[in-house]
Amino acid sequence: MDKATIDRVCQWLDEARRLVVLTGAGVSAESGVPTFRDVQTGLWARFSPEELATEAAFRSDPQRVWDWYQHRRDALLSVRPNAGHMALAHYALRHPGKLMLVTQNVDGLHQKAGQPHTVTLHGDIAADRWLDEPGACCMAQPPLPGRPPRCPVCGNLRRPAVVWFGEALPADALASAERAAADCHLMLVVGTSGVVYPAAGLVHTASLAGARVVIVNPEATVLDDLADACIRGTSAGTLVQLLETATPPDMLDRKERTDRWIP
Ligand code: BV8
């Protein structure tokens, strides 16, 4: 990793009073979680995630999509946050009100790492919800076990509580992320290919608002032209270098401490 760039970004980190970190699947790669566009293996090799992560795919073959999510859920049971997740959580705790963590990930690893406040754009793979608006019958008794589980009266199906392609993101999460992107001094964009919108649009928002943008990724991304600096590195090693060496808040000028996020 280029030391001059790391030193420059560490300085930007110290100078920034409002920091947004936007994460994608790459931050979980070093925990052993395949990234969203990694080639799928085994049973799922012949499908692309975009084909499976849609309501239409679920309605046309509920069991196949349910089984894909169960396969991913099972793989997450043995997964732990990595040093990158921990560095983000510790930084947020050391700098109250400075860091807004916005994630595209559904694996819950930022939360498991103790991140005090996470804006989750694409939902939670560990949770379910009803496919159709639930009636009283759906709430009156537990769903029948199955792949997927269903209401024993009306047959309404349970589905993963994630945002599928073609579905709107949670309005409050997206609004909070857009406000933060428009209002931050620095945005770190870590472990994302930047192809999924509206999440990737947050980087454009930050750049247009005059924030410095830093991209952390071992590979080039479609967002690189927006960056004031690109760090060609993995997220765990880079985040530890950037966040663990930043100046502790009590050495920063006290007057700056008021200009913080009100999460
Ligand atoms: C919507 C949950 C409208 C499911 C996911 C413009 C504007 C608005 C929409 C669109 C638009 N253009 C196109 C669209 C449609 C679509 C879209 O963006 N399509 C793409 C494919 C072109 N967007 C949508 O459909 C969104 N909805 O717009 O609705 C609407 C509005 C109102 C009313 C109705 C409808 C919904 C998008 C959300 C989809 N759901 N996930 C599930 O998980 O099963 S998205 C999915 O992709 C994951 O959440 C993932 O996080 C996300 C982004 O992918 P990445 O995280 O970037 O992962 P990827 O594998 O691509 O890249 C990994 C990166 O890590 C790589 O760069 C790699 O180099 C790097 N890496 C690898 N190792 C490391 C590393 N980096 C650091 N360290 C390492 N060790």
Side-chain angles (χ1 to χ4, degrees):
M1 250 173 288
D2 167 5
K3 183 164 178 346
T5 306
I6 292 285
D7 291 346
R8 187 153 40 102
V9 174
C10 280
Q11 186 176 339
W12 292 349
L13 266 168
D14 287 346
E15 290 164 358
R17 296 187 300 284
R18 291 190 297 277
L19 165 67
V20 171
V21 179
L22 173 66
T23 64
V27 292
S28 300
E30 285 154 285
S31 293
V33 182
T35 69
F36 197 72
R37 282 166 192 82
D38 268 343
V39 175
Q40 299 218 94
T41 56
L43 271 179
W44 310 106
R46 60 199 169 96
F47 300 104
S48 89
E50 280 87 354
E51 280 176 286
L52 292 169
T54 68
E55 183 182 332
F58 184 75
R59 288 188 185 275
S60 73
D61 192 337
Q63 183 173 312
R64 171 186 291 160
V65 175
W66 180 267
D67 287 352
W68 180 53
Y69 280 92
Q70 195 56 50
H71 163 73
R72 292 170 61 194
R73 286 167 171 172
D74 294 345
L76 281 171
L77 291 176
S78 59
V79 165
R80 295 285 168 268
N82 61 54
H85 295 106
M86 300 313 292
L88 285 165
H90 295 159
Y91 188 87
L93 293 167
R94 284 200 314 274
H95 299 262
K98 175 169 178 173
L99 164 56
M100 174 81 81
L101 193 285
V102 179
T103 190
Q104 302 172 83
N105 297 342
V106 296
D107 58 29
L109 289 178
H110 287 300
Q111 294 86 339
K112 278 196 186 124
Q115 193 74 33
H117 177 63
T118 305
V119 176
T120 302
L121 297 176
H122 296 158
D124 173 5
I125 198 168
D128 289 344
R129 65 180 175 86
W130 290 107
L131 175 64
D132 295 313
E133 196 56 36
C137 59
C138 303
M139 320 301 269
Q141 65 271 307
L144 282 179
R147 293 157 54 197
R150 65 180 59 232
C151 172
V153 177
C154 71
N156 195 3
L157 299 177
R158 298 293 285 175
R159 53 157 288 178
V162 297
V163 179
W164 278 330
F165 289 98
E167 293 185 325
L169 276 59
D172 53 348
L174 184 55
S176 172
E178 282 174 339
R179 270 196 311 275
D183 203 23
C184 67
H185 301 108
L186 175 64
M187 177 181 276
L188 300 185
V189 183
V190 188
T192 182
S193 58
V195 300
V196 173
Y197 283 80
L202 297 169
V203 186
H204 296 263
T205 300
S207 173
L208 285 171
R212 285 183 174 128
V213 172
V214 176
I215 292 178
V216 176
N217 198 311
E219 294 169 20
T221 83
V222 293
L223 298 172
D224 286 2
D225 290 349
L226 293 172
D228 298 273
C230 287
I231 299 176
R232 284 282 166 271
T234 61
S235 102
T238 305
L239 288 174
V240 168
Q241 267 203 288
L242 293 177
L243 301 178
E244 301 296 351
T245 53
T247 307
D250 51 9
M251 291 171 68
L252 293 175
D253 180 330
R254 285 240 170 265
K255 70 173 173 34
E256 291 183 345
R257 307 278 308 266
T258 55
D259 186 5
R260 292 281 189 268
W261 300 122
I262 313 296

